[in-house]
């Protein structure tokens, strides 16, 4: 479901126009199909992932989603065992559905300081809103409201300049 044939796969952020604070990361281009993502608008490129595993980016980035009130929360992880499944379409822990592999990254516990060129994807979580936020920009946390807590580096990705 995810991916395309290119040196890297761009990942775009889409926001919910209804004000529910729902955020969606997708590999679909900015002019993505509005019938698939009704009520979302593209706000730009956020980071890039590799289309296949490489020595620099060997770890699959799994996508999970679940409805939380009027929003849909997405979890992106390199550790599918935490979610209870890595089978596309299967419901895992905490009622998150596995959506498949978005691309390949490097887990934060596997990055060696000598590996240049990889960039961080940061993670924040709000217990109040029950939503996750991901960004390459660490200052995003300064603008979040609703009790978001910084959780650290979720993964390392390839530079989008290759795109």
């Amino acid at each position: 479901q995810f991916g395309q044939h290119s040196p890297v796969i761009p990942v775009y952020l889409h926001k919910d126009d209804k004000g529910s604070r729902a955020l969606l990361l997708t590999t679909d281009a900015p002019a993505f199909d509005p019938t698939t993502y009704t009520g979302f608008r593209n706000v730009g490129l956020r980071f890039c992932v590799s289309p296949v595993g490489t020595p620099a980016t060997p770890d699959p980035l799994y996508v999970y989603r679940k409805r939380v009130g009027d929003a849909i929360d997405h979890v992106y992880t390199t550790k599918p065992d935490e979610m209870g499944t890595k089978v596309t379409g299967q419901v895992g822990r905490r009622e998150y559905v596995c959506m498949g592999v978005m691309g390949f990254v490097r887990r934060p516990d596997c990055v060696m300081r000598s590996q240049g060129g990889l960039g961080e994807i940061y993670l924040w979580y709000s217990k109040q809103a029950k939503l996750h936020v991901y960004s390459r920009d660490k200052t995003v946390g300064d603008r979040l409201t609703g009790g978001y807590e910084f959780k650290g580096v979720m993964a390392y990705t390839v530079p989008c300049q290759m795109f």
Side-chain angles (χ1 to χ4, degrees), residues 2-9 48-54 57 101-105 158 162:
F2 296 102
Q4 63 190 42
H5 300 289
S6 70
V8 297
I9 301 171
C48 290
V49 294
S50 297
V52 295
T54 68
T57 57
V101 174
M102 175 178 276
F104 290 80
V105 297
V158 294
M162 296 172 64

Side-chain angles (χ1 to χ4, degrees), residues 44-125:
L45 180 67
R46 284 304 178 245
F47 57 87
C48 290
V49 294
S50 297
V52 295
T54 68
T57 57
D59 305 304
L61 181 61
Y62 288 88
V63 181
Y64 299 84
R65 74 174 181 196
K66 141 177 142 170
R67 180 160 293 285
V68 178
D70 63 347
I72 296 175
D73 186 37
H74 289 82
V75 171
Y76 303 85
T77 184
T78 57
K79 301 174 182 176
D81 293 343
E82 292 177 351
M83 302 304 290
T85 184
K86 58 182 173 181
V87 178
T88 301
Q90 191 173 71
V91 178
R93 291 192 180 99
R94 299 181 305 278
E95 299 180 26
Y96 280 92
V97 177
C98 180
M99 303 305 295
V101 174
M102 175 178 276
F104 290 80
V105 297
R106 180 168 283 279
R107 292 191 338 250
D109 57 334
C110 294
V111 171
M112 299 168 14
R113 296 210 184 274
S114 63
Q115 291 176 316
L118 297 180
E120 299 89 353
I121 302 175
Y122 300 104
L123 167 62
W124 293 263
Y125 179 71

